[in-house]
Amino acid sequence: MIHHSSTMAEQEAPAPLKSLNSYDQTFISFINKSNRNAEAWWLNFSGIPVSYGDIKPGKSLQMNTYLTHPWIFRAPDGAKLLANLSEVYFPTQAQYKEYGHPRYQPVYVTAPVYSLQEYCARLIRSIVRKEDICKLEIPNGLRKDLSREPDLLRDIQILSAKRSVNGSD
């Protein structure tokens, strides 16, 4: 009985933040609804992000992908973007039109509601050179936050850790 419950726990554990297999193909249309370019990142079988390029505002990227392939989106300055309101997007089951033609399911890429601190940090980074941040008369904690630029690999590690603790993205 104990063995059965540990097996159940293993089955309920979240999938790691990487592509698992290429068995179930699906068809997605990533539509950029933000006002900035959105870079599409596929997480490969090792969890390494692979860029599929920028999607301009109002434009879309049609993608043949697989159910277990996670996607992440970032703005040019590294700020996170959301896909269907999630920081990590896992594709859904394929849908087909008449005569077996695939239906590219819409996935909307949007900007999240940034906290005031996140928004101000993005603004300050855009107008103050990195080497001048140390000269700003602001609390050390804010200076440290400003010095730490967006980092996709670090974000992926944080998201993976959250998934293992919370069981969700």
Side-chain angles (χ1 to χ4, degrees), residues 40-155:
W41 294 91
W42 165 62
L43 300 185
N44 73 13
F45 297 97
S46 299
I48 305 297
V50 177
S51 176
Y52 273 73
D54 285 339
I55 308 168
K56 294 190 182 314
K59 300 297 181 187
S60 65
L61 171 67
Q62 287 194 336
M63 188 60 55
N64 297 357
T65 187
Y66 297 88
L67 288 182
T68 66
H69 289 200
W71 292 83
I72 292 178
F73 295 84
R74 290 293 183 266
D77 65 356
K80 68 182 172 184
L81 297 173
L82 305 178
N84 282 359
L85 303 179
S86 181
E87 195 168 346
V88 180
Y89 175 75
F90 281 91
T92 54
Q93 193 72 38
Q95 295 180 6
Y96 295 90
K97 300 187 266 184
E98 284 187 85
Y99 309 111
H101 296 290
R103 177 181 175 270
Y104 283 83
Q105 299 174 73
V107 174
Y108 299 103
V109 177
T110 57
V113 176
Y114 296 108
S115 71
L116 181 58
Q117 183 174 342
E118 289 171 318
Y119 183 80
C120 290
R122 287 180 48 225
L123 178 62
I124 291 169
R125 278 191 207 104
S126 73
I127 58 176
V128 177
R129 293 182 311 194
K130 187 174 181 177
E131 60 269 17
D132 291 336
I133 289 175
C134 64
K135 299 174 187 172
L136 296 175
E137 294 184 23
I138 57 175
N140 283 335
L142 290 176
R143 190 176 297 116
K144 184 179 176 184
D145 286 349
L146 286 170
S147 297
R148 187 176 43 230
E149 294 183 18
D151 181 337
L152 182 59
L153 294 176
R154 184 182 66 227
D155 290 350

